[in-house]
Amino acid sequence: MEKTKGLYYAFLSSFTFGFAPAFSVALLESGYSPQEVLSYRWGIATLGLVVFGLCCHYNFRLNSRQLLTVAGLSIFRSATSLSLIYAYSYISTGTASTIHFMYPLAVAVGMSCFFKEKWSWRIFGAIVVSICGTVLLCLGNERTMGTEHPLIGIAAACVSVFAYAAYNIGVNKSCASRINSTVLTCYVMGLGSLYFIVWGWLGGGIRLESELANWLYILGLALPATAVSNITLVMAIKKIGSTLTAVFGAMEPLTAVLIGVLFLHEELHLAGIAGIVLILSAVMVATRQKTSPETKPHNSNP
């Protein structure tokens, strides 16, 4: 039962996160700077999480050790968002998603090397297949073509790989695993929003948005693609561990490409269809893997 819940949370997290590239690019094309996008994204997400947590009567009090841990996690999570949005500025979202999706492999290697997690060839195979599927999916979608300054974008996307892997592992293997998922996500988002707001003001200020269309992009980015995706990510990691949760990240580029096809009239070619088949196959293989004691975090507090 716990594994089923974890798989559901992992699927929901990766699905909702898949909306982030479209909303981020829409704001960038409206003239927003990366720090403005992230300030609104994380700031609004934090407000939503605070309201939700207060309505549920969650305890937001943390001890000093937990605060230090959360501060470290917020740096890794902030670095992920920052590097990805810079990648979107220099290369296509499809290419950035392809590179970013190397993070499940980084999670698996990190868990094996630093925490002696038992190596599962089934999970390793699922990761490799899902990476291949992601590459085919993005190659089969025309968003991957025609970009400027690709090396900067590629480097930024590579940073996101290691930052997001570190965040996934940190949530699993630190005292953060004993913090309520909403409270943990609220602190991570709140500290991150402070980083971006300060950086934004130092870099020329942050605009006060008045256009309805841009507010819809902001709310879509902040609530489902940030607040919901990050809460369910933490809940999934607590239920099924970092490695298996990372495999479900394959749904992120899949969602992003399908949004482009269904709503932005982009084309999906044969390579993309093959990628979808590989991704879904990898997820099905991964869900058949039994969660070992090593992969389970030491507390399942939701």
Side-chain angles (χ1 to χ4, degrees):
M1 186 63 179
E2 290 298 299
K3 180 182 177 182
T4 301
K5 289 182 179 179
L7 296 176
Y8 168 75
Y9 293 142
F11 172 82
L12 184 58
S13 174
S14 59
F15 176 77
T16 52
F17 188 78
F19 289 87
F23 291 129
S24 297
V25 170
L27 290 171
L28 291 172
E29 291 177 346
S30 298
Y32 274 66
S33 66
Q35 54 266 40
E36 285 180 311
V37 173
L38 293 173
S39 295
Y40 271 106
R41 176 185 181 181
W42 286 42
I44 299 298
T46 301
L47 291 177
L49 290 168
V50 168
V51 171
F52 178 75
L54 291 176
C55 290
C56 294
H57 304 290
Y58 291 144
N59 182 5
F60 282 83
R61 182 175 297 176
L62 301 182
N63 59 41
S64 57
R65 181 187 175 204
Q66 290 173 325
L67 281 173
L68 287 174
T69 301
V70 169
L73 290 174
S74 72
I75 292 174
F76 286 123
R77 189 63 186 87
S78 300
T80 303
S81 292
L82 180 62
S83 56
L84 269 180
I85 202 164
Y86 266 103
Y88 298 154
S89 300
Y90 291 101
I91 59 178
S92 67
T93 57
T95 304
S97 296
T98 302
I99 298 172
H100 175 68
F101 189 65
M102 295 295 292
Y103 83 83
L105 186 58
V107 169
V109 172
M111 291 293 289
S112 177
C113 293
F114 297 108
F115 297 99
K116 308 303 180 184
E117 182 178 277
K118 185 178 179 181
W119 190 264
S120 168
W121 286 106
R122 181 192 292 272
I123 292 296
F124 178 76
I127 291 173
V128 172
V129 170
S130 59
I131 290 174
C132 293
T134 303
V135 172
L136 287 174
L137 179 63
C138 295
L139 288 177
N141 183 267
E142 60 185 12
R143 284 187 302 175
T144 59
M145 306 305 293
T147 59
E148 297 179 358
H149 309 295
L151 292 181
I152 297 177
I154 291 171
C158 288
V159 171
S160 77
V161 173
F162 297 103
Y164 201 48
Y167 177 74
N168 275 262
I169 294 173
V171 168
N172 188 359
K173 292 299 184 179
S174 70
C175 63
S177 65
R178 293 185 289 273
I179 303 174
N180 175 275
S181 299
T182 300
V183 174
L184 172 60
T185 307
C186 184
Y187 272 98
V188 170
M189 297 285 105
L191 289 172
S193 65
L194 288 178
Y195 305 152
F196 296 130
I197 290 171
V198 171
W199 181 31
W201 280 112
L202 293 176
I206 298 174
R207 74 186 71 189
L208 295 177
E209 187 54 65
S210 59
E211 293 187 12
L212 177 60
N214 285 339
W215 267 113
L216 292 176
Y217 294 142
I218 290 170
L219 292 175
L221 181 61
L223 299 180
T226 302
V228 174
S229 67
N230 279 277
I231 288 176
T232 49
L233 172 71
V234 173
M235 295 171 76
I237 291 173
K238 290 181 178 181
K239 298 291 185 184
I240 59 176
S242 300
T243 305
L244 187 53
T245 300
V247 175
F248 274 76
M251 300 302 295
E252 296 169 12
L254 176 58
T255 303
V257 170
L258 290 180
I259 289 173
V261 172
L262 295 175
F263 300 104
L264 302 179
H265 308 292
E266 297 176 350
E267 295 183 4
L268 183 64
H269 303 291
L270 185 60
I273 296 173
I276 291 174
V277 173
L278 287 178
I279 289 173
L280 294 178
S281 299
V283 170
M284 291 178 65
V285 169
T287 57
R288 296 176 63 86
Q289 171 71 19
K290 293 184 178 180
T291 306
S292 65
E294 291 85 350
T295 63
K296 290 181 180 179
H298 39 272
N299 193 291
S300 59
N301 180 19

